[in-house]
Structures are given as C-alpha cells and as structure tokens.
Amino acid sequence: MADTETLLQAWAERASTDDEAWAHTVPGPSLDAVTARLASVPRDFLDERVSLPALFGDILPAVAAPACLAFADDARVRTGAAIALWLVAADDLIEPLDPPLNTARAGVAVDALALRVASVVDPATWLVDDERRVEAARTFLLWDGLRPAGEDAATARALLDACDSLARDRAMAAAYEGHRHRAEIARRLQEARQREAAARYSAE
Amino acid sequence: MSRELSDLERAAWEKALALWGVSMHDPRMRPGEGEKHGGAPAWFTFPASVTVDPAAVATYGGTDDLDSVFAHELGHHVLAPSTRLDSLKIRHQLGRTLQAAGLAHVSDGQVALLSNLWTDLLVNTRVALLQRAEGSGDAEPGIVRMCRALYAPSIGGEDRLWWVYCRTYELLWHLVPGTLCAPQPPAAVAPAVRVSEDADARDLSQTLERFREKERALREARSKAAQIEAELATVITTAPETDAALLADAVRTFASDPVGGALRFGVVTAPYIAERDRAERSGRRVPAVASAGECADDTRPASAQEIGRILADRRMDEPLPQHPGISMGETDDESADGRSRGQRLGVAETLGLYPATDADTVLTEWYRMQAAAWVRPVTRARPPQAEELPGPLETWETGDDLAVIDWAATLRSGPVVPGVTTKRRSQLVDETEPVPQGLDVDVYIDSSGSMPRPDRGSPAVLAAVVLALSVLRGGGRVRVTSFSGPGQVAGIPDYSRRIDEIIRAILTFFSGGTTFPIDLYAQRHLTARPAPGARQRHVVVLSDDGLTSLFGAGNPDAEGIAAAVRATLTTATLVLMDRWHQVADLAAQAGYDVIYLETMDDAPRACAQLARTLHG
C-alpha cells in the first residue's frame, strides 16, 4: 500500500493549482444529484477483483490514463477511482446529470478522488457518511470543471474548504504541535522548579 | 403576566408541536420578560414549560419564524436536556471539563453557558433536519433563518468561544463562512506576562557573606523558573477553526445523546473559558461573553436525591477524554504533557461542582455511591436451636411417664396390656440450619485533625460507610459516635437503620485532638445492661495511631476499661490508619482485632476483612 504522502505527491504533480481550478468552473448539476449517485454505487464497481485499468478503459476509452492507475493495487486508490468512474458511467447507465458531467476532464476528477481524497478518508465512508459524501461530490465537481448548481465559485470554494479532510488533518496536526509546544514548556518549568528546590538552603 | 395565544401564535405553536410529534400545554406569552433572561426571546423551564417574549422575538425580526422559536424551545423538552436530571448530568460533565481545563473555581454561570451552547447546538441541528425533511428541500429551514437573524448582531465580535459556536452551525448547515460569524476567528487574548521579583528585591549584601553564593544560585534558579512560568501562561492552545469542526463531529455523533456527548463538547470548549479566565486574572481586558440569552432557565440547586441519581450514573465518573488535538498520535495512557489519563472524580472535585447544594448532602451521596459497589450483607449465624420432631411409635414400658402414652395408637393395638400393647411416640432431634441474623454494630470514628478530612477523601469514612451499609443490608443496626478532643463527641445515641442519619454522623468532623470517649464507652457497655432479647454486640473503632487513649494512655483511670468492655462484646475491631502499628500491642493485650487502612483503595479490602470478623 502506498503511503499517504506518496499519493498526495502524485496528485500535486498531476493537478493544477486550486485557484486555477476554481477559476475555470462553470455551473454544474446540483450537489444533491451527485451525492445521490455516490450513495448508490453498484457492488460491481466496489469489487476488488475488477481491474481498475480495464474499468477505466471501458468507461473513459478516449481519455488519457489517469495517474491513479499507477497505484491501482492500493485498496483506497482502487475504490476511490472506481466510485469516481461510477459517477461518469451513471450518465450513460442511468441518465445524464443536468447539466452533464464534463467527460473530457473526468480523468483529473478521478485522480482527485483516488489520490487526494481517498488518501486521507477511506472511500467506504463516502457511501455511509453524509459529510464525507459531500466532500467527495464537491471535489469531483471541482476537478471536472463544475460547481454545484446555484453556487458561485466563492461560495462553492468556501463550502468545499469547510469539509476538506486534508486541510482539517493538517489543522489538527498544527493544533497538536501547539499542545506539544505547551507540554515542552511545562516540562522545562517542572525541571526549573526542581532546580529551584535543590538550590534552597538553610541559614542556620 | 401571561397573555393568551393569538391565532397566528397558536398556528405556529401547533406547527412546532407537529414538527416534533409531541403534545404539550400552551406556552406562556410574556411580553418584555426576556430582559430578565439575558435578552433571550424564549426560554424553557422545568417542570416542562415554554415561555416566549413576543416583544423580544419581534426585536430581532423573528416574528415570521415564530414556529421555529417554539420548535427550538420544544427541542429542550424533547431532545436536550429533556429532563431536569439529564440537565443536571450535562452540567455535571461540563463542570468536570472546566475543572480539568485548569479553572480553580468553576462558577455556575460558566457551566450554564456551556450547557446552553451544547443543548442549543443539538436542538437547532435537529430542528433544521426536521424542517428540511418536511419542507421543499431547497428552501432554507426556518431555524437557520432564525439563527441568522438572532446572531447577526454578534458577527465581528471578539468572543472566541462564540465564534466557534457559530462556525459549528455554518459547518453543520453548509453555510458560507461569514454567514453567522466573521470568516476568521477573533484573536486570542494572551494573559499579561508578570514575573514576580518581590522575593529577590532585597540587596544581596544584606545576606550573610557565607550564604551569598547559595543565595545567588537560589535567586538565579527562582528567576529562571518564573520566566518559564510566564512563558507557559502566554501559550494559547485553542484553535477555533479546528475546534468548530470537532464540535460539528460531536453534534453529528451524539445527535440523540446529550448526556453522552457533553464531555466531548466540554473538552473542546472549556479551554476557551479557562484562557479567558487566565487573561482576565492577569489584568487583561477581555471581550464580553457573547450569547443569545439563557434559554434553558433552571437555577435550582440539585437536591440530595438528584445528586444520588447523578452519581449513580457510571458515566459521571468515567475518565475525561482528551482534547482530540492532544490525543492525536498518542497512546491512551499518556497525554501530550506526560500526565497519566484516567483520573476519576474525587470528592473535592464533586463538591466544587455543586457549590449551591449543601456540602453535607453532596458528601453523603458521594460516599454512599463510592461505597455502593462494595456493600455486601453482613450477618452472623444465630446458634441453631434444637427442635424435636415426632418419630416412629415405640412400646411404652412400665415405669415410663404415663403422660407420654399415645392412647390413640395404644387402643388401636387391641386390649391394653401395659408394657406390651401400650405405645408411645418417639421424638427425633431436628438438626436445623444456622439462621443468619443482623448485627448491632457500635461504630466509633475518629474525627481529630490527624485524620483525613471527609471533604478531601477519607479512607476511614469510606470504610465506615461501606460497613454501615453492609450491616443495614444484612438486617442489622448501626450506632455511630464521632469523637475528637475532650467534649468533642457527636453521633446518634441509639442503634439506627436510617441511612442518611448514619452517614451524616460518620461525616462529622471536629478536627481537634484525639481523646477516645472512654466514659461513654464504659457507660454503654459496662453500666447499661443489654435489653432482654438484645442481639450480640460488636464494636468497630476507626482511628489512627492516636488511639492509645482507648487503652488509658494519659488517663490512668481509664486503664482496663477497654479490656473490660471487650469481655462483654462478641467482636471488637480497630480499623487503623497506623502505618507503624503503634497501637498493635495495646490492642492485642486488650483482646481487640486490628485491621490496617492507608488509602481510599484499601477501604473495600478492609471492609471485606471486617465482614469476615463480624460474621464469625
């Protein structure tokens, strides 16, 4: 299994900056429609025996292979990519979303779920946890060049930032460092008090 | 004065009742009364009742969403806190988190603030869900509109806890940052740095020359410690953006369990109160506490019965969880500052949580609950009394007592021929099982200054309570005498089965010298004759190494009394906090058993040993 940093590094090399991505978004389907599709992934897409490159080739034959295929043996990447591919496939298998997804950019969107989101949140939780499902849906739309219906770019960006697991993990790590820093000072204080106690003397 | 509901208000009230699927008597409409409740437009009280100040609702522009105002208050009735007992449990848990955050004295207002925020979060989140479910989907729920209107004046405020609270709603309701609070949290107010120099103000030349080097080293060490202490005081560990996300998680996880989630909410929010308190104490100007008024209005202190039920809930005593920011990446047993986790609620901390309740009431319930797990019925087997049962017929011989002839059996045997046809009924001895019997136990507990204070956790008090409850459970009775110096004797004069009276007597604490009330002891067991039918007598004395006065130390007239009393008793046991066993020889000479006790953890073991002694 690839470590999280490796997957994030692969994503960083693959993707443009967030600012550029947001600048090129256009109104897309409603968030509810995308999350509803995420919640109804067919079991076949989650079957680990199904080859990810083959699945990708079947659904997006005209799109260049995404970076996540290099990590197809990683369960998180495989499941994340398969769920993203279901969103694309559902346009044909059920009916197109309104407006439809942007197939030409779907490779990046698949990578976004497989490398960026799946590396910090188990894709299985996207199916059962509303918050994580919304995060996956918003991320997919962004990198597919879309933003949820009824939202301007600033709103959509703020709402994705609010549920971004990677950003939250980093904020938690920063908070932890704050507590560590305080603990270190507390330890130095304890030592200083011990030295002060040892320096006390009797004036008799 | 309350007024009747208008037609519009009644329609809104019925809509709110339907939203929750409950029935309730009409709310009280009291225009202008919100000022007495911190400006709240509506509030909920126990017994379950909703009061609304329609004028205050109109002031913030919520008249069109009156059903949401009602729905919010009904949420306090249905969901959080739901009952007064659950309300007290939530406050109990939040008080613990405030103590753990470093607040020396937790005020009722601080607990009430956190309790309001936590229950409001749960209620408003549920109301939004219910309104979304019954609405058209895309329409903004009324409760969200209500909060936007109500919290609008506080946007841009400096209260960091309020910012975290509002930001949590934004995350829960997927609102754009800036809707309920400023996009960025207010800056923390660090405590003012104050390094105390008082002790070192004296000129070093005033110190004797031979001590100057040591004095210089001491001052240097003291100065260094003071600098680090000042540095520590300025460190801010709260992270509002992260904490809001953690609170949103807590609301989702504990959506239907306000008591269970209170600790999680408290460990995230209590540090904000503590930081504010530290800054205020250091002389910094701190921003005013923001709130939307107190809508859960219940200021009555907890009663004895309520405290008993709170402490009986094992969740109230469970170890505090770590703040997720601290516990990240660590084992369960170690925190970031190296302290061990798992500390349970002590008696002093419990007292601190109930400043408005009589301390004796809190102590009584605390010791009773601590003892509860160790109470087993203590009895003593009553000696079996031989009984006779009728056995088979035997021949009545001439010379036997005429009265024992069984004439009915004899006449059935034909003509009466003495010694041949005469019959008698034999008697067999029935070997009955010993019958367990309750005990009368005379308890003497030392409340001199050398004993641990009950309000700091006393092993002797805990052992006495376990013993007393065990004796009562076995059907027995207890008499308690608390003693300290001369004339300092209190308790209950007769054997009793009233639990509260017994525990209150055990909790008596004089904090004087140690003089065993030997005259009273002799009067009770030597002078007064036991009443006819009185049970066996047992004495238990809980004390420390100062108990030598029981054996006449310092009072020659008292020598021999302890031994003489012992001869009249079934058992006599000393439960001593006497590390060096200084009373052991005197006790052995007078025939007293001794059980030793040092810590609270020893009390159950000592009581189990005592129960075996009493049982015989």
Side-chain angles (χ1 to χ4, degrees):
Chain A
M1 192 172 88
D3 64 52
T4 299
E5 287 308 315
T6 304
L7 298 178
L8 291 174
Q9 181 61 35
W11 166 248
E13 290 167 3
R14 164 83 158 103
S16 57
T17 65
D18 285 6
D19 289 342
E20 284 178 45
W22 282 112
H24 293 101
T25 56
V26 296
S30 76
L31 186 66
D32 287 348
V34 181
T35 53
R37 288 216 169 156
L38 269 175
S40 58
V41 182
R43 187 169 298 184
D44 291 347
F45 278 75
L46 302 175
D47 190 335
E48 60 187 19
R49 292 170 300 180
V50 174
S51 160
L52 183 61
L55 188 64
F56 182 86
D58 285 349
I59 297 171
L60 291 169
V63 175
C68 66
L69 294 189
F71 305 95
D73 54 350
D74 185 306
R76 296 172 297 170
V77 173
R78 198 223 153 271
T79 309
I83 292 173
L85 286 169
W86 157 248
L87 289 178
V88 181
D91 262 7
D92 290 334
L93 296 173
I94 303 177
E95 63 175 344
L97 292 167
D98 181 24
L101 297 176
N102 184 353
T103 310
R105 294 180 58 90
V108 187
V110 169
D111 273 341
L113 289 201
L115 299 175
R116 190 184 190 282
V117 186
S119 61
V120 287
V121 180
D122 183 352
T125 62
W126 306 350
L127 309 180
V128 294
D129 183 327
D130 289 347
E131 285 301 302
R132 301 286 68 85
R133 187 157 55 240
V134 166
E135 179 188 4
R138 286 186 175 279
T139 304
F140 184 91
L141 287 175
L142 165 65
W143 293 101
D144 200 42
L146 304 168
R147 55 179 184 266
E151 294 179 9
D152 59 29
T155 302
R157 183 171 193 170
L159 293 176
L160 175 55
D161 287 348
C163 62
D164 184 349
S165 296
L166 179 59
R168 185 173 154 183
D169 280 1
R170 285 174 177 161
M172 285 286 285
Y176 177 62
E177 278 311 308
H179 287 289
R180 271 283 178 209
H181 175 59
R182 189 176 195 284
E184 171 59 21
I185 299 174
R187 187 191 59 74
R188 283 197 287 123
L189 178 61
Q190 192 178 9
E191 287 175 1
R193 284 196 175 135
Q194 285 169 351
R195 279 195 292 275
E196 182 189 341
R200 290 207 180 96
Y201 62 95
S202 169
E204 292 177 1
Chain B
M1 283 293 288
S2 297
R3 64 159 172 77
E4 290 294 308
L5 290 173
S6 67
D7 289 347
L8 280 176
E9 288 165 350
R10 180 163 300 286
W13 174 246
E14 284 171 1
K15 189 176 176 186
L17 287 173
L19 186 76
W20 284 101
V22 296
S23 297
M24 192 181 176
H25 57 82
D26 281 355
R28 292 177 293 197
M29 305 301 284
R30 295 192 169 168
E33 202 160 306
E35 281 304 313
K36 296 178 190 168
H37 296 267
W43 53 98
F44 175 78
T45 48
F46 293 108
S49 176
V50 171
T51 310
V52 175
D53 176 353
V57 173
T59 302
Y60 80 84
T63 306
D64 291 343
D65 284 312
L66 193 57
D67 61 306
S68 295
V69 177
F70 287 139
H72 173 88
E73 299 307 329
L74 278 173
H76 287 307
H77 170 49
V78 181
L79 177 65
S82 181
T83 65
R84 175 168 152 85
L85 191 62
D86 276 359
S87 168
L88 292 170
K89 285 179 180 178
I90 290 169
R91 293 168 73 102
H92 176 99
Q93 298 291 64
L94 293 173
R96 291 176 63 197
T97 62
L98 286 166
Q99 286 176 337
L103 284 168
H105 299 288
V106 176
S107 76
D108 207 44
Q110 290 164 333
V111 177
L113 172 66
L114 291 191
S115 176
N116 261 312
L117 296 181
W118 172 232
T119 53
D120 280 358
L121 270 172
L122 293 178
V123 167
N124 288 342
T125 305
R126 179 70 68 85
V127 170
L129 277 174
L130 293 172
Q131 289 180 331
R132 277 209 170 94
E134 74 165 11
S136 60
D138 292 338
E140 185 175 56
I143 194 75
V144 179
R145 268 197 310 276
M146 186 190 96
C147 288
R148 281 204 286 116
L150 197 55
Y151 302 160
S154 66
I155 293 180
E158 296 177 274
D159 186 344
R160 279 159 67 84
L161 178 57
W162 184 253
W163 187 92
V164 171
Y165 171 73
C166 291
R167 180 72 184 130
T168 303
Y169 282 123
E170 290 183 344
L171 294 174
L172 287 166
W173 291 338
H174 301 119
L175 301 176
V176 178
T179 306
L180 300 178
C181 56
Q184 296 301 319
V189 180
V193 178
R194 284 187 177 171
V195 181
S196 174
E197 299 288 348
D198 296 348
D200 298 337
R202 198 159 39 95
D203 191 343
L204 199 60
S205 63
Q206 294 176 5
T207 305
L208 291 176
E209 190 172 350
R210 61 196 167 107
F211 293 128
R212 269 183 206 157
E213 200 51 43
K214 289 180 177 177
E215 178 66 20
R216 188 176 289 113
L218 174 61
R219 289 185 180 191
E220 194 177 322
R222 189 182 288 150
S223 168
K224 185 71 179 168
Q227 284 172 12
I228 298 175
E229 189 173 13
E231 183 186 356
L232 184 66
T234 61
V235 175
I236 299 293
T237 53
T238 51
E241 189 68 61
T242 311
D243 288 340
L246 293 171
L247 288 191
D249 282 350
V251 171
R252 293 183 196 110
T253 306
F254 295 95
S256 300
D257 185 7
V259 177
L263 277 186
R264 181 86 74 86
F265 175 82
V267 295
V268 175
T269 52
Y272 289 89
I273 306 268
E275 276 182 4
R276 178 190 180 83
D277 186 67
R278 279 200 298 273
E280 203 164 20
R281 285 176 189 279
S282 76
R284 290 278 198 209
R285 186 196 69 81
V286 294
V289 176
S291 91
E294 294 176 7
C295 74
D297 184 38
D298 185 22
T299 53
R300 277 180 298 146
S303 67
Q305 191 185 22
E306 287 168 336
I307 289 179
R309 292 180 66 185
I310 292 167
L311 297 180
D313 186 336
R314 286 294 163 199
R315 290 176 298 177
M316 302 299 109
D317 190 33
E318 67 186 11
L320 287 176
Q322 291 280 15
H323 185 291
I326 302 175
S327 58
M328 196 176 118
E330 289 181 344
T331 64
D332 282 348
D333 298 327
E334 191 187 345
S335 65
D337 54 4
R339 285 179 301 187
S340 174
R341 290 182 56 197
Q343 191 164 1
R344 293 179 180 275
L345 191 64
V347 62
E349 291 80 15
T350 307
L351 278 168
L353 294 178
Y354 297 96
T357 303
D358 169 48
D360 277 353
T361 299
V362 179
L363 285 174
T364 299
E365 296 305 323
W366 190 86
Y367 278 103
R368 190 199 296 217
M369 288 307 144
Q370 294 297 313
W374 311 104
V375 173
R376 303 286 182 276
V378 172
T379 57
R380 192 175 180 89
R382 188 174 63 190
Q385 295 177 343
E387 291 181 9
E388 291 188 334
L389 292 174
L393 291 171
E394 296 173 341
T395 302
W396 179 88
E397 303 285 352
T398 53
D400 287 350
D401 187 353
L402 271 173
V404 300
I405 293 179
D406 185 335
W407 286 110
T410 300
L411 290 172
R412 279 199 301 273
S413 306
V416 177
V417 181
V420 179
T421 61
T422 47
K423 303 294 181 188
R424 57 174 286 178
R425 180 67 65 183
S426 64
Q427 295 293 321
L428 301 176
V429 175
D430 182 18
E431 294 179 359
T432 55
E433 290 290 323
V435 180
Q437 186 185 34
L439 311 177
D440 279 352
V441 180
D442 197 7
V443 176
Y444 294 82
I445 182 163
D446 183 349
S447 61
S448 61
S450 60
M451 295 289 286
R453 295 181 62 86
D455 59 6
R456 295 282 159 196
S458 164
V461 168
L462 180 57
V465 173
V466 174
L467 169 67
L469 294 178
S470 298
V471 170
L472 296 180
R473 179 82 64 86
R477 301 179 302 171
V478 178
R479 176 167 64 194
V480 179
T481 305
S482 175
F483 66 92
S484 182
Q488 292 178 313
V489 179
I492 43 179
D494 298 314
Y495 290 100
S496 170
R497 285 190 51 78
R498 291 202 291 272
I499 294 176
D500 287 347
E501 174 186 63
I502 291 167
I503 298 181
R504 279 181 184 262
I506 290 171
L507 287 169
T508 304
F509 198 75
F510 288 111
S511 194
T514 309
T515 304
F516 187 82
I518 196 73
D519 294 341
L520 179 68
Y521 191 52
Q523 187 271 326
R524 282 175 172 174
H525 294 283
L526 293 178
T527 311
R529 289 185 173 279
R535 306 180 198 194
Q536 296 170 331
R537 289 189 293 179
H538 305 264
V539 164
V540 174
V541 183
L542 300 107
S543 184
D544 59 12
D545 55 10
L547 191 63
T548 50
S549 56
L550 169 62
F551 304 103
N555 180 11
D557 294 342
E559 283 181 18
I561 291 179
V565 170
R566 175 66 187 92
T568 72
L569 303 172
T570 310
T571 68
T573 311
L574 310 182
V575 180
L576 299 179
M577 301 181 69
D578 176 15
R579 178 173 292 187
W580 311 113
H581 297 197
Q582 295 182 35
V583 188
D585 289 344
L586 292 169
Q589 286 165 18
Y592 286 73
D593 294 322
V594 181
I595 294 169
Y596 291 101
L597 185 66
E598 277 193 33
T599 67
M600 296 287 277
D601 292 340
D602 294 339
R605 175 195 52 76
C607 287
Q609 204 176 337
L610 190 55
R612 285 194 292 275
T613 304
L614 292 170
H615 186 270

